[in-house]
Amino acid sequence: MAEPRSVTRLMDLRVDGRKVTMSVAGEMVAGFHYPEAYRVIARKRKSTTICELSTVRADLDPDDGTVLLTAEQDGFERGVWDLYFTYGTGERSGEVRFGRDRSKDIPPEGFSNADDRPQLNDYVVAYFTKGAANLSIDSGGVLHKSVPVVKSLGLVPDEDGRAVAVLGLTREPAADDEYFCTLEGAQEYAGRQLLPTVRLGERLMGLRLPASPELVGATMRFTAVVGGARTSLVVTGAEYWPARLTGFELRPDRRDGLEILKASRASAARHEIIGSVPRAERDGAPRSFKARMRSVPLVGDALAAGHRKIRGKRQ
């Protein structure tokens, strides 16, 4: 039986705990104008085991000749599962891999439950295969054996007054680690962008953020792709950001992002890296960036070391 004329399209993908939900659009096949003829299945790699996902919704449009399936699976047994859109019954049936053609809202690294810090056997990573870019599910950390934890340690201004987030990892940074920022409220620069990084230490990374006075009014949201899994990233340290020196203020919002605000006199005073200003500075001799970094509670030494490395990279 001939496959559908157009590429099957992945419209939506979500991972919630161990539950995976997806919506897949394809073409109706002649003679099969009823919902039961269309399914989403998963085949366990290097095995004959097949799992049929539960169909939550099936919308057929005879006029347009399309079908939209929403299916879910609340827990896959351990293994790597390849996803298929199937159509027809009996001898008049077929199946198509999908994932290369997908909604622009689905990032190329897919989704995972790594934010929940699950035990290894409970890891679920919905990813796209190399080359063909088809959707597969890694359940139980078969391929993604160790998803490292990334933690924000604070913010450092570089020599140009731009923001650099200092990150600590539970393992050494890898060449394929990636960090992204999505800008909201900045029409010219809106959208997702890959952030440049600088190695600061054995398990330290510096992440250059697109914050600047020109982007006042925008909000930054961050994600990390480490160990092949996508995790959210909350950048901390805005309460110590030197607004008077850089010309803009950073403030956390309710959805774990950072707002870029115009530095006011009040905010400059409130967000100085040190609350009490030494007499030497009051008399017109401002402290160095290094001294300001060291004064940040808990992580001052790490930030100062990061700042030294950033300066060295720029020289």
Side-chain angles (χ1 to χ4, degrees), residues 151-166:
K151 185 177 181 180
S152 173
L153 300 179
L155 287 162
V156 182
D158 68 8
E159 294 302 297
D160 296 323
R162 296 178 302 181
V164 177
V166 177

Side-chain angles (χ1 to χ4, degrees), residues 155-157 273 289-296 300-301 303-304 307:
L155 287 162
V156 182
I273 280 193
F289 275 133
K290 178 180 176 181
R292 293 175 181 275
M293 294 306 104
R294 287 196 179 280
S295 65
V296 177
D301 288 341
L303 294 180
H307 178 65

Side-chain angles (χ1 to χ4, degrees), residues 9-13 22-25 68 101-103 105-106:
R9 182 175 174 82
L10 181 62
M11 304 300 294
D12 189 30
L13 177 64
M22 64 195 71
S23 294
V24 187
L68 176 64
D101 185 12
R102 55 183 178 265
S103 168
D105 296 326
I106 301 174

Side-chain angles (χ1 to χ4, degrees), residues 49-238:
T49 303
I50 293 177
C51 171
E52 179 178 348
L53 278 67
S54 175
T55 298
V56 177
R57 185 182 179 92
D59 294 319
L60 276 67
D61 187 344
D63 295 331
D64 193 39
T66 60
V67 56
L68 176 64
L69 288 183
T70 298
E72 66 180 19
Q73 176 66 24
D74 194 359
F76 289 88
E77 69 176 56
R78 189 173 188 271
V80 178
W81 298 82
D82 299 320
L83 277 297
Y84 295 82
F85 174 83
T86 73
Y87 50 92
T89 57
E91 295 182 356
R92 296 188 62 211
S93 63
E95 56 188 33
V96 183
R97 289 297 313 267
F98 60 87
R100 175 180 290 277
D101 185 12
R102 55 183 178 265
S103 168
K104 65 179 182 180
D105 296 326
I106 301 174
E109 65 273 10
F111 294 96
S112 78
N113 64 353
D115 282 346
D116 300 333
R117 307 280 178 87
Q119 297 295 319
L120 180 59
N121 287 341
D122 292 325
Y123 263 118
V124 175
V125 180
Y127 71 100
F128 300 100
T129 59
K130 293 182 179 179
N134 291 317
L135 177 63
S136 294
I137 307 294
D138 181 2
S139 177
V142 177
L143 297 180
H144 305 79
K145 296 183 182 300
S146 178
V147 179
V149 176
V150 181
K151 185 177 181 180
S152 173
L153 300 179
L155 287 162
V156 182
D158 68 8
E159 294 302 297
D160 296 323
R162 296 178 302 181
V164 177
V166 177
L167 307 180
L169 286 75
T170 53
R171 56 107 162 109
E172 290 190 9
D176 58 352
D177 291 345
E178 293 181 317
Y179 302 89
F180 297 92
C181 172
T182 300
L183 273 173
E184 301 173 358
Q187 186 173 1
E188 185 177 354
Y189 302 98
R192 191 173 97 143
Q193 54 186 280
L194 178 65
L195 297 178
T197 60
V198 56
R199 179 79 174 263
L200 301 179
E202 183 178 356
R203 297 186 178 185
L204 286 177
M205 289 291 296
L207 193 63
R208 296 188 185 277
L209 310 186
S212 69
E214 291 73 29
L215 290 177
V216 165
T219 299
M220 302 178 291
R221 306 194 190 284
F222 308 98
T223 55
V225 181
V226 291
R230 179 181 187 268
T231 61
S232 59
L233 177 61
V234 180
V235 174
T236 61

Side-chain angles (χ1 to χ4, degrees), residues 15-53:
V15 175
D16 183 11
R18 299 192 71 239
K19 178 187 288 186
V20 180
T21 305
M22 64 195 71
S23 294
V24 187
E27 285 197 359
M28 293 176 59
V29 179
F32 297 98
H33 293 181
Y34 50 94
E36 294 76 15
Y38 302 91
R39 301 175 298 156
V40 175
I41 68 167
R43 179 174 288 113
K44 191 174 183 180
R45 195 173 296 176
K46 299 180 181 179
S47 169
T48 58
T49 303
I50 293 177
C51 171
E52 179 178 348
L53 278 67

